[in-house]
Every structure is written in structure tokens, then in C-alpha cells.
Amino acid sequence: AIVNHLREPYVPALVEFGTMATEYAVEPKMVDDSEVEKVFRAWEAVVPSDVIGASEEKVSKLIIRTAIRVKAHWRSDQVLRFLDMLLGTQAVYRDSILRIGNAYGFNISEDPGVLQRWCQLLIRHNCQDFVCVISSYFELHGSEDAAQVVWDTLADRCQADLKWRFLAQSIWSAVEPQMHGDARERALGALGRSRCL
């Protein structure tokens, strides 16, 4: 039987972020904005699994302790702030980006603001296995003004990586018929300047 968690009594849960521990209620409550910072800092402290000193157990615990909170309790502005913080750092590794996307549901998000930022992160961190997420974003939102930053990020990546040129050509072939007006010209210009097309 499904139990409505809103009717459950208050049950404290201990959540650790690195060396910090905070008590949270299992029942829904307003999430303090400082939690976003704590989760971000915890991901910044994660080292890739192939580096000496990496702890798969710590990463698993971080995911277990934060995934439900991020998906179910964070407001949309907090999710966007978290993604903006990820965009503003070089200290979060590709391996962590992959785990964040899967654990927090960013790969399957339908929110245009989340996808705009998430696609930039996938491109910057060379997550070629998730090019379908990027392509889907462009199919749905490629003609919107907000998508231009993702087109620019893709164009920059094409200059640094030949494989991304082929991926960009494939993406453009799929979404170009749906593009229109100035947005089409701006995207085409960015991809053309970087010699993606």
C-alpha cells in the first residue's frame, strides 16, 4: 500500500555533506538556500574514481542522501542555482557530472531552464553518450533565444574536439528543419564560425 508521507510523523534523517552533518525532516519543508551550497561543495570535493584516494562509498552516500531532496524538495530556482554553480566551476569532474545527471534527473528533465544549463554542462564535460539529451533540447527549444548559449557552447566544443564536429553536424541535420528566423541564423553562424558545418 502507498502511504502518504505527509501524514507520517516527523522522522529526522541525518544527512552528511563531506564532514558536515545536518538533520532534515523526512516530511516536506522549505529547503534553506544554504543546502544548495552544501550539496555543491560536496560535489566539488569528489575526486574521480580512477584517482588515488577516491571513495566510491562516499559518492554513493552523497547520492543517496541528496537525490530525493534535490528531486522532491528543491524549488526550481534552487535547482537552477545549483546548475549555475556547476557551470561556474572547473572543480567538478566529468564522472561527477554523469552521476549528478542520473541521480538528480537532469537528463530527463522537461524544464527548459534546467535543460539549457544541463546541456552546457554535458558539452563542456565531453559527455558524448548523452548527445541525445542535447539533441532533444534543440528539437524542443532550439529556436528560442535562450538556446543560443547552448549553440555557442557546442560551437566552442567543436573547435576543441573533432568528434564533437560530427556530433554537431548530426544534431544540426536533425533540428535544422524546425529552426526558423533569427534563431536559425544565429545558430548557423555560431556553428559556421567554429567550422562545425
Side-chain angles (χ1 to χ4, degrees):
I2 298 174
V3 178
N4 182 346
H5 69 276
L6 295 174
R7 295 185 191 139
E8 292 289 312
Y10 173 84
V11 180
L14 188 64
V15 179
E16 294 180 28
F17 300 107
T19 59
M20 298 177 288
T22 309
E23 187 178 286
Y24 291 103
V26 172
E27 68 181 23
K29 68 174 192 163
M30 292 299 290
V31 174
D32 188 318
D33 286 340
S34 67
E35 182 179 322
V36 177
E37 179 84 19
K38 288 177 186 175
V39 173
F40 170 72
R41 295 290 173 218
W43 279 108
E44 266 192 329
V46 171
V47 295
S49 56
D50 57 346
V51 173
I52 295 173
S55 173
E56 187 67 32
E57 182 181 343
K58 283 183 182 179
V59 174
S60 295
K61 285 181 180 180
L62 176 61
I63 290 170
I64 290 167
R65 291 183 172 117
T66 61
I68 296 299
R69 296 226 23 103
V70 171
K71 289 198 265 189
H73 300 290
W74 282 15
R75 299 181 316 264
S76 60
D77 65 300
Q78 291 171 317
V79 172
L80 296 178
R81 182 169 170 243
F82 177 71
L83 291 170
D84 286 338
M85 293 169 83
L86 290 173
L87 282 168
T89 187
Q90 299 281 330
V92 177
Y93 295 93
R94 179 183 183 275
D95 186 51
S96 293
I97 293 295
L98 295 173
R99 288 170 176 261
I100 288 168
N102 291 328
Y104 298 167
F106 297 150
N107 289 320
I108 59 170
S109 176
E110 295 179 2
D111 182 292
V114 169
L115 284 173
Q116 178 214 40
R117 290 158 176 83
W118 186 243
C119 288
Q120 290 176 74
L121 286 163
L122 290 174
I123 295 165
R124 285 185 186 179
H125 289 275
N126 195 25
C127 301
Q128 297 174 5
D129 294 343
F130 291 92
V131 75
C132 60
V133 175
I134 300 163
S135 187
S136 293
Y137 171 74
F138 283 135
E139 287 173 14
L140 296 171
H141 306 286
S143 288
E144 297 172 10
D145 289 341
Q148 187 59 43
V149 69
V150 184
W151 286 115
D152 292 339
T153 303
L154 180 60
D156 291 344
R157 187 70 196 193
C158 288
Q159 290 180 327
D161 189 337
L162 183 62
K163 174 100 188 229
W164 276 96
R165 286 186 188 177
F166 295 115
L167 293 172
Q169 291 169 2
S170 175
I171 291 169
W172 182 253
S173 295
V175 302
E176 191 264 337
Q178 301 160 10
M179 298 287 291
H180 52 80
D182 291 340
R184 180 187 183 282
E185 294 307 314
R186 287 193 307 269
L188 188 58
L191 296 175
R193 282 190 301 278
S194 64
R195 300 182 182 169
C196 290
L197 303 178

